[in-house]
Amino acid sequence: MKRIAVFTSGGDAPGMNACIRAVVRGAIYHGLEVYGIRRGYSGMIAGDIFPMTSQSVSNIVQRGGTTLKSARSKEFMTPEGRKKAYENLMNAGIEGLVAIGGNGTFTGAEVFFNEYEIPTVGCPGTIDNDLYGTDYTIGFDTAVNTALEAIDKIRDTADSHDRVFFIEVMGRDSGYIAIQSGIGGGAEIVMVPETHTPLKKVVSTLKDGWTRSKSSSIVVVAEGDEEGHATDIAEKIKSQVADKLDIRVTTLGHIQRGGTPTAYDRILASRLGVGAVEGLIKGYKNVMAGIVNNEMVYTPFIDTIKKPKPIHDDLLRMVHILSL
Ligand code: F6P
């Protein structure tokens, strides 16, 4: 293998730049030529493929977002789109790919590999932390810290006004951001898609707190919770507690996707970027590089997407214990 290309795809995540840098410099260190592809699969289809040097990735390790830009490509879901992408890669002489992204990215990579067999190694880049095959994904730690900072601020005003706040955090199908920011932020209740929290339980927990003279409460809701968005949940329970509790809702949204990556994310991203290049050199294909128990492991894309990554029961149990 002489020439590889790197791209970022799907929702951006803080630390993606540190990963791009590690791929580029890791490849050059091992004597490979390295190209960048802008806007993920969309750029592959458009032929937006360009050579990168060590200088291309100077001064980006600390920056949020992705300098290669990102997209969710509908065209890549079609055989015609993938054919164009393959032809452009062949024209540019690309023999291997590093895909930085989440489950949508790896679903695309899996289909593409089965059709065209270009060796691809993935780096898990998503704030959701919902990929099997790695303890943590790039961007998750930063997103949790962003959410935590917001929860701390909301707690100040909640406490001043004796209010209950429902705070919605990201996590399309996953409650990792919710559970970690909820525990770190001292939430009374955390609602996640992995487990059902009935609304009557929410009401009774809030009422219990009120009878114990708790002046304010925080309920953290993952956006993918089966009871709906934080606004819907607050609306549904309002009438049952309105005489005693004053409710407000905050949706944190995309602020969780931006910002300077934490030290943890930069280091994780750097390890995974170098690990992906070294995986390609060793002949791995159609796998994601991940870190499990502090060791580099390579997991087939199909497992990273399909296998569940449950939230540890202890974490869910702790929310209850710590809210007393
Ligand atoms: O996958 C990361 C994520 O931030 C999810 O938590 C969220 O549901 C989704 O992306 C939002 O995507 P978009 O930025 O395309 O609206």
Side-chain angles (χ1 to χ4, degrees):
M1 189 175 290
K2 287 265 181 299
R3 184 178 294 173
I4 66 167
V6 57
F7 64 96
T8 51
S9 163
D12 62 347
M16 279 186 163
N17 281 323
C19 192
I20 296 167
R21 172 177 176 267
V23 171
V24 170
R25 295 200 172 162
I28 292 168
Y29 174 85
H30 284 292
L32 297 176
E33 291 172 358
V34 58
Y35 279 54
I37 304 171
R38 286 192 196 88
R39 295 184 180 80
Y41 294 121
S42 300
M44 218 182 264
I45 292 168
D48 198 350
I49 304 170
F50 62 99
M52 294 183 84
T53 65
S54 189
Q55 287 70 40
S56 320
V57 290
S58 294
N59 197 25
I60 66 167
V61 70
Q62 79 286 14
R63 285 169 60 187
T66 160
T67 48
L68 285 180
K69 298 193 178 272
S70 195
R72 301 189 197 273
S73 171
K74 287 212 172 72
E75 204 181 346
F76 196 74
M77 292 178 193
T78 66
E80 298 75 26
R82 293 192 292 275
K83 184 164 177 286
K84 272 193 227 163
Y86 174 73
E87 285 165 1
N88 287 329
L89 292 176
M90 290 302 99
N91 289 340
I94 305 299
E95 296 165 294
L97 291 169
V98 177
I100 307 170
N103 44 26
T105 306
F106 298 157
T107 304
E110 165 80 13
V111 174
F112 196 50
F113 180 80
N114 289 334
E115 283 172 356
Y116 295 107
E117 296 187 359
I118 300 183
T120 304
V121 176
C123 291
T126 164
I127 63 164
D128 287 358
N129 198 34
D130 56 352
L131 291 166
Y132 176 88
T134 191
D135 289 339
Y136 294 106
T137 56
I138 298 163
F140 170 67
D141 186 62
T142 308
V144 168
N145 279 289
T146 301
L148 194 57
E149 204 184 319
I151 292 169
D152 288 348
K153 288 178 176 162
I154 290 168
R155 187 176 273 289
D156 289 345
T157 176
D159 191 49
S160 304
H161 288 267
D162 296 335
R163 281 175 171 160
V164 173
F165 266 83
F166 283 78
I167 305 174
E168 181 173 303
V169 298
M170 275 189 167
R172 198 171 16 206
D173 305 303
S174 147
Y176 273 97
I177 297 177
I179 197 78
Q180 293 228 356
S181 62
I183 291 172
E188 275 66 26
I189 303 167
V190 177
M191 301 178 73
V192 295
E194 288 84 348
T195 169
H196 182 219
T197 312
L199 292 185
K200 62 174 192 295
K201 172 84 181 135
V202 176
V203 170
S204 66
T205 306
L206 292 175
K207 280 188 173 165
D208 283 356
W210 184 81
T211 51
R212 291 198 316 275
S213 307
K214 238 183 211 269
S215 60
S216 63
S217 296
I218 301 285
V219 182
V220 175
V221 181
E223 66 176 328
D225 189 77
E226 64 185 272
E227 290 291 351
H229 285 281
T231 40
D232 308 323
I233 296 169
E235 202 50 50
K236 283 187 216 163
I237 70 156
K238 221 170 205 165
S239 61
Q240 300 172 58
V241 294
D243 52 331
K244 300 189 179 70
L245 303 172
D246 189 16
I247 293 179
R248 293 291 185 277
V249 180
T250 303
T251 300
L252 299 185
H254 284 77
I255 63 160
Q256 296 159 96
R257 286 250 293 269
T260 302
T262 58
Y264 184 89
D265 271 332
R266 296 184 205 189
I267 293 159
L268 175 68
S270 302
R271 286 182 77 183
L272 290 171
V274 171
V277 170
E278 293 182 344
L280 278 176
I281 292 167
K282 284 180 195 150
Y284 296 150
K285 40 189 91 160
N286 213 21
V287 294
M288 180 193 84
I291 307 249
V292 175
N293 294 331
N294 210 22
E295 297 291 335
M296 185 75 61
V297 295
Y298 297 88
T299 305
F301 282 139
I302 195 73
D303 290 346
T304 69
I305 309 156
K306 296 267 187 245
K307 287 196 174 171
K309 184 175 172 184
I311 292 180
H312 205 294
D313 280 347
D314 266 1
L315 293 179
L316 295 161
R317 210 168 56 87
M318 261 169 54
V319 175
H320 176 63
I321 295 174
L322 298 175
S323 71
L324 290 179

